[in-house]
Amino acid sequence: MTVATARHILVDTEEKCNELKAAIEGGADFAEIARNNSSCPSGRNGGDLGEFGPGMMVPEFDKVVFSAEVGTVQGPVQTQFGYHLLEVTSRS
């Protein structure tokens, strides 16, 4: 079975998500941005979600995590929780 590790940042608006993505693409540290902005409890750990398999996250999240290039920031991805920036840190 395929497994992945990823980190994410969860915010309320697409605008905020795009703002944070631009900051990260401009050189800001993903983990620091997550700690300061994410509404998910994982933000305290730099957005780290640990290891998980297909079907363990919401479908919109899964689709990106199991298809996106490892190490690139994806998003905004909208789910019922809000808007996410996702970075797949490994997949095997």
Side-chain angles (χ1 to χ4, degrees), residues 17-73:
C17 204
N18 281 321
E19 197 178 293
L20 297 176
K21 184 176 184 179
I24 292 165
E25 289 173 342
D29 181 62
F30 189 104
E32 190 64 30
I33 295 281
R35 280 190 284 278
N36 293 329
N37 295 277
S38 186
S39 61
C40 180
S42 69
R44 290 190 297 266
N45 300 321
D48 186 15
L49 295 169
E51 186 177 89
F52 52 91
M56 295 176 70
M57 300 290 180
V58 295
E60 303 90 340
F61 205 91
D62 257 18
K63 182 179 178 186
V64 174
V65 169
F66 291 100
S67 66
E69 186 178 328
V70 173
T72 62
V73 177

Side-chain angles (χ1 to χ4, degrees), residues 17 31 34 61 79 83 90:
C17 204
F61 205 91
T79 70
Y83 293 87
S90 72

